[in-house]
Amino acid sequence: MTVLAANRVGILAALTNALDELRGNMLDVSQAVIQDYFTMILAAEFPEERDPEVIVDHIRAVCRSYGAEVALKDPDDETVFEIPEEPTPRQRYVLTASGQDRPGVLRFIAHRLAQDDIVLMDLQGMRHESDHTFLTSMELAFPPGVDALKLRNDLDKEFRPDGITIALQHRRVLAALAHPEPVGFNTVSPWPSRGTDGS
Amino acid sequence: MAHNDSFFSALQQLRQLPLDVRTITLGINVADCHNHSLHALCESLYQRIIGRAERLTNVCGEVSSLLGVPIMQRRIVVTPIDRVAQGFDSGDMVNVARTMEGAAAQVRVDRIGGYAADVQHGMSSSARELIASLPTALSQTVRVRAAVHVGTTESGVNMDAISLLGRILKETAQADAEKNGDAAAKLVILANNATGHPHLTGACLGDGWGDLVVHVGIGAASIIRHALVERLAIEPNSPLHELAAEIQTAVFQSTRTAELVGREIATRLGADFGSVDVSLAPTRRPDDSVAALLSLLGIEQVGAPGTATALTLILNALRAGSAFASCSAGGYSRIMLSVLEDASLAAATKSKELTFDQLCMAANAGSGGLDLVSVPGDTDVATLAAIISDQVSFAVLNRRPAAIRIIPVPGKRAGEGVTYSGMMNDAVILPIRGTGLSKEFIERGGRLPPVR
């Protein structure tokens, strides 16, 4: 389910009220405030007999004063998912790109990642209006055999002439930098994995 | 806005960190390769090195690709050869050095250390033969690095050995005259190296390590420079303690990364993880040098008054940062003023801004002694020995390790330029004041008693 609404105090309270009244239960959620919009993507379960139209109408009604727009999908009805029998073990990395903004940066990166069968797990980005610089950071899951050093160098070669810097760091390196306990305690499996091997 | 600025400033700080690993050193125990037959000794030494290190280069490549951290150099160190090759003459010793060279080339490492002798108390016949073989061994090999350990704080200094090394150093340079005495750069004279400092040139597998051990070395100059530049961009008038804190943080980050890399390599090779060493060693990158850091701190030229203070500040921050980052930080940290490997120091010799005396002073504040300094080829043997013994005495008195590399460049005088290939930069030969005035002192020989 996705919810897009005006970002004002009380929106989360209204939304959770509506879910509660529908006897829904949140399973996974990601929320961000983009410009002036409150946005939320969530997975929730509802009683079997609950009609999807009822769910959407009820949330809209409860969150009317926030102008909420709701979209609902049932994963059981979807045909676009490919579920591999045995998930490939993957390594997690964080890629950051920053510098002077220009069109096409993300497109180039995304194509390059797709070539190497790299899966995007998380993406954040932001543009500074004052100096037209941008910063984007994405969490990636690499299949075995991808040379991270080469990927970084390729991207660096592409973007350096435009003054855009690229950094690619393994999750374990980030964990080693972020936690003061000895290396080895924190760097084996830093994040609970979501269908991928986070080691 | 989706994200507040602090989230991004945290990312911003991480994004450009020049994290890399300067050296991966694999220590291999070869003590049991000893044999009375030279052929059998060389064969088993060769097979041992190949057997243990053949995967080193590939594993370094794999881990480097996996973690996205470049590894600059791969090295091997073995048990000191004066213990392994006993009962041979200097000609046979040269064959041992060639065997090490062949094995190192086969497994594609950059350097192999352990062609070393320990003479702090006295000289065994094998140590004497090894030292006598140095001019030939070092001029006929590329990767082999040699070391002679001449003294410690607790046991004193073997002045006979230093006197002999003055001559050997000159002969070694002479044997490689067409390369401007490059072979002498491969010989390091060590003091206070009791446990076998695994990160020095010519280091050997010291006592007390296992059969196979991985050490990791970091050159922290670029990450420290990065941190200082960022800090000074925000606050140009930062006081020294704030800059020290920046250095400490940068060193923490690079130590953490290097330990992660080192442990992963050790696991894949089935080796023990040894130690992490953070040193300010120059790299091929421009501006990766101590001189650049000193200039950021506000000292315009190495050797100017204040240099010792600035070096002390950097060294302390280096040690504090690495000690907090890792339980395996070796405590060997030092600042390497390797003149020929450091573009800005080499340039300073050319512009005559850097003198031999200034270098000696700087070398003894936080550094490990004179490193890769080229001196006139006609410097007499006693003066060379006296320069070495001065550096060793400073180290012994201050209870810190020292590693001294001096190149008496054959046929060149003070002020002349000298050019090297490979890692080393062009420099100008530094004049030494008071040459020939210490002959009687050095020729007395004997021992310097322990420092109490």
Side-chain angles (χ1 to χ4, degrees):
Chain A
M1 180 193 297
T2 62
V3 180
L4 183 66
N7 183 34
R8 290 206 316 273
V9 175
I11 171 67
L12 186 61
L15 181 64
T16 47
N17 253 349
L19 288 174
D20 195 37
E21 285 159 8
L22 292 160
R23 285 197 282 133
N25 188 25
M26 263 194 223
L27 300 174
D28 197 358
V29 63
S30 170
Q31 186 266 325
V33 177
I34 306 271
Q35 304 287 331
D36 291 326
Y37 288 98
F38 168 93
T39 64
M40 188 180 260
I41 307 169
L42 62 139
E45 56 187 8
F46 294 96
E48 200 64 50
E49 70 279 7
R50 191 73 71 217
D51 189 316
E53 276 182 35
V54 173
I55 298 174
V56 172
D57 289 346
H58 187 68
I59 295 174
R60 275 197 193 131
V62 175
C63 302
R64 185 178 299 120
S65 62
Y66 301 92
E69 285 176 30
V70 182
L72 185 67
K73 291 205 168 205
D74 187 341
D76 291 343
D77 300 341
E78 297 292 341
T79 52
V80 291
F81 297 134
E82 286 173 33
I83 299 164
E85 285 184 4
E86 273 189 38
T88 335
R90 285 175 182 268
Q91 299 279 341
R92 296 286 192 104
Y93 292 81
V94 173
L95 176 78
T96 46
S98 63
Q100 206 62 32
D101 196 17
R102 70 158 169 82
V105 175
L106 200 55
R107 182 175 63 92
F108 185 91
I109 295 176
H111 278 266
R112 183 68 180 73
L113 297 180
Q115 264 176 26
D116 278 346
D117 186 26
I118 293 167
V119 179
L120 180 69
M121 306 302 292
D122 196 4
L123 169 67
Q124 319 240 19
M126 170 187 189
R127 193 172 106 124
H128 276 288
E129 288 307 325
S130 53
D131 53 1
H132 297 283
T133 58
F134 79 101
L135 179 59
T136 180
S137 157
M138 48 192 91
E139 186 171 355
L140 304 169
F142 282 36
V146 174
D147 184 339
L149 213 51
K150 182 174 182 307
L151 175 65
R152 192 197 62 188
N153 290 342
D154 286 354
L155 293 174
D156 192 59
K157 213 160 94 189
E158 170 68 22
F159 291 118
R160 186 175 287 271
D162 299 336
I164 294 170
T165 52
I166 296 285
L168 182 62
Q169 273 145 345
H170 196 282
R171 262 289 184 209
R172 286 165 65 191
V173 172
L174 288 180
L177 297 181
H179 301 277
E181 63 266 30
V183 165
F185 282 60
N186 58 49
T187 48
V188 179
S189 183
W191 246 255
S193 54
R194 280 187 203 165
T196 60
D197 175 12
S199 67
Chain B
M1 273 187 285
H3 313 289
N4 60 27
D5 284 351
S6 65
F7 166 77
F8 273 100
S9 72
L11 270 182
Q12 199 99 10
Q13 282 166 14
L14 282 177
R15 81 197 145 101
Q16 286 173 323
L17 286 182
L19 294 169
D20 54 37
V21 165
R22 183 168 175 268
T23 58
I24 291 289
T25 305
L26 182 67
I28 306 173
N29 181 5
V30 298
D32 60 329
C33 292
H34 169 70
N35 199 299
H36 291 297
S37 144
L38 178 68
H39 178 75
L41 165 71
C42 290
E43 180 61 21
S44 82
L45 186 62
Y46 185 83
Q47 294 302 342
R48 171 64 52 83
I49 295 171
I50 301 282
R52 293 287 164 89
E54 62 181 344
R55 289 175 50 231
L56 176 65
T57 299
N58 286 349
V59 165
C60 284
E62 284 163 26
V63 173
S64 177
S65 302
L66 173 72
L67 295 176
V69 177
I71 295 170
M72 306 293 181
Q73 269 198 357
R74 295 165 306 273
R75 300 176 177 180
I76 291 176
V77 295
V78 296
T79 316
I81 291 297
D82 71 331
R83 295 189 210 168
V84 183
Q86 300 206 344
F88 298 106
D89 65 18
S90 59
D92 294 340
M93 287 293 197
V94 173
N95 280 324
V96 176
R98 288 207 197 101
T99 303
M100 291 166 67
E101 171 77 17
Q106 179 65 27
V107 297
R108 292 174 291 143
V109 296
D110 301 285
R111 291 179 184 182
I112 182 163
Y115 198 69
D118 199 343
V119 296
Q120 48 171 316
H121 296 285
M123 220 179 282
S124 67
S125 56
S126 63
R128 191 176 296 279
E129 295 299 332
L130 186 142
I131 292 174
S133 77
L134 289 173
T136 318
L138 293 181
S139 58
Q140 292 188 358
T141 55
V142 178
R143 297 172 177 82
V144 175
R145 294 294 183 274
V148 182
H149 183 215
V150 295
T152 66
T153 303
E154 291 74 25
S155 58
V157 179
N158 185 343
M159 291 296 286
D160 287 329
I162 290 184
S163 172
L164 171 63
L165 283 166
R167 182 167 63 76
I168 291 291
L169 195 59
K170 204 158 168 172
E171 288 175 12
T172 305
Q174 202 65 50
D176 205 14
E178 74 275 18
K179 288 193 207 149
N180 284 326
D182 187 26
K186 294 184 264 181
L187 168 61
V188 62
I189 293 147
L190 302 172
N192 272 342
N193 184 36
T195 57
H197 184 322
H199 300 283
L200 289 173
T201 292
C204 43
L205 178 77
D207 295 334
W209 295 107
D211 286 334
L212 197 63
V213 55
V214 171
H215 299 285
V216 51
I218 309 159
S222 61
I223 193 167
I224 293 178
R225 189 170 59 87
H226 174 80
L228 289 179
V229 167
E230 299 260 297
R231 175 74 200 169
L232 292 169
I234 299 165
E235 182 52 68
N237 298 321
S238 300
L240 291 175
H241 62 275
E242 286 181 15
L243 296 179
E246 288 292 337
I247 296 174
Q248 208 169 315
T249 310
V251 169
F252 172 85
Q253 291 168 326
S254 56
T255 309
R256 303 289 288 194
T257 311
E259 183 175 357
L260 191 63
V261 172
R263 283 191 184 276
E264 185 67 32
I265 290 172
T267 307
R268 291 182 181 212
L269 287 175
D272 298 335
F273 180 70
S275 61
V276 191
D277 171 68
V278 190
S279 288
L280 271 192
T283 69
R284 296 293 279 171
R285 287 202 201 100
D287 292 338
D288 267 8
S289 92
V290 181
L293 299 185
L294 288 177
S295 114
L296 284 170
L297 289 176
I299 294 195
E300 290 174 26
Q301 184 208 311
V302 181
T307 301
T309 317
L311 291 178
T312 307
L313 177 141
I314 296 174
L315 188 68
N316 275 334
L318 213 67
R319 289 186 175 158
S322 64
F324 181 60
S326 170
C327 302
S328 305
Y332 310 115
S333 304
R334 71 217 179 278
I335 297 167
M336 288 168 70
L337 296 170
S338 310
V339 179
L340 289 174
E341 283 181 353
D342 187 318
S344 51
L345 287 181
T349 62
K350 281 193 200 168
S351 61
K352 301 206 169 58
E353 285 166 349
L354 187 65
T355 68
F356 189 76
D357 296 343
Q358 282 174 331
L359 208 53
C360 285
M361 185 273 285
N364 285 296
S367 167
L370 285 177
D371 198 23
L372 289 180
V373 181
S374 45
V375 298
D378 59 359
T379 311
D380 62 287
V381 167
T383 301
L384 285 175
I387 292 170
I388 297 167
S389 75
D390 277 354
Q391 295 291 318
V392 168
S393 317
F394 279 130
V396 163
L397 188 64
N398 293 319
R399 296 171 196 274
R400 60 158 176 81
I404 302 134
R405 284 187 286 180
I406 301 173
I407 310 163
V409 187
K412 298 266 184 179
R413 294 167 181 282
E416 284 189 64
V418 55
T419 306
Y420 292 97
S421 58
M423 273 288 281
M424 301 208 282
N425 292 287
D426 301 348
V428 161
I429 293 166
L430 295 173
I432 302 169
R433 287 188 299 143
T435 49
L437 304 179
S438 342
K439 194 160 181 278
E440 201 182 327
F441 177 74
I442 292 298
E443 283 178 355
R444 285 182 196 280
R447 296 179 48 74
L448 209 61
V451 174
R452 305 294 178 194

